[in-house]
Amino acid sequence: MTGSEAPMPSTPRPPKTDDDCAALDTARMLRYGIPAEGPHRTALFGDGAIGAAVVLDRLGVLPRSVAFLAEVVRSGGVRYASQLPELLPDPAATDLVRPWLESAAAVARPVVGDETTARWLESVAELIGLRRTSRARGR
């Protein structure tokens, strides 16, 4: 391309709905997004975190529960956390989150991968909080 040619306009992608994000394979996104920076990590912290927040919010999980789980991951490691009997207060939420943590544990390097997983969980907690605040303001 020479200096006189105009760049090609990009076609905007259609926005994703909550249902689109909730349908993403979060375990797979963790498996590819935790070990290395790049587009998989970007997708994990973007659409992946949104999808996880949507699903957990629909189950009624409080942001503080997910933030506490992030602290457990940060303190003991994702492998340790994935083996706990009760990850979240609701058994259905625990059943949902356990495969996510097991997937992350399979690829997370100690300390670095644990921290990345904890930061992702904190992002999910923040998004749940934002969803709740937005709904409360809309009433």
Side-chain angles (χ1 to χ4, degrees):
M1 181 162 122
T2 66
S4 62
E5 295 176 18
M8 295 288 293
S10 63
T11 305
R13 294 189 306 174
K16 291 184 179 168
T17 66
D18 282 358
D19 289 337
D20 292 336
C21 290
L24 294 171
D25 187 344
T26 305
R28 180 177 286 189
M29 294 183 85
L30 283 158
R31 185 170 43 252
Y32 290 101
I34 293 297
E37 293 184 27
H40 292 296
R41 173 91 47 92
T42 301
L44 173 64
F45 274 82
D47 292 344
I50 293 168
V54 168
V55 172
L56 291 173
D57 185 38
R58 288 177 178 173
L59 288 173
V61 174
L62 297 175
R64 68 179 177 226
S65 298
V66 180
F68 180 76
L69 180 57
E71 285 305 314
V72 172
V73 167
R74 184 172 280 118
S75 299
V78 68
R79 186 166 285 110
Y80 166 79
S82 71
Q83 296 171 359
L84 292 172
E86 188 176 353
L87 300 171
L88 295 168
D90 178 12
T94 290
D95 291 343
L96 177 72
V97 170
R98 186 173 312 285
W100 297 354
L101 293 185
E102 289 171 345
S103 184
V107 296
R109 292 189 343 251
V111 182
V112 174
D114 296 333
E115 179 62 25
T116 302
T117 305
R119 284 189 306 106
W120 180 78
L121 286 166
E122 289 170 339
S123 298
V124 172
E126 287 293 325
L127 289 167
I128 294 170
L130 288 170
R131 291 174 58 80
R132 288 173 169 253
T133 300
S134 177
R135 276 196 307 272
R137 287 185 180 157
R139 291 183 192 160

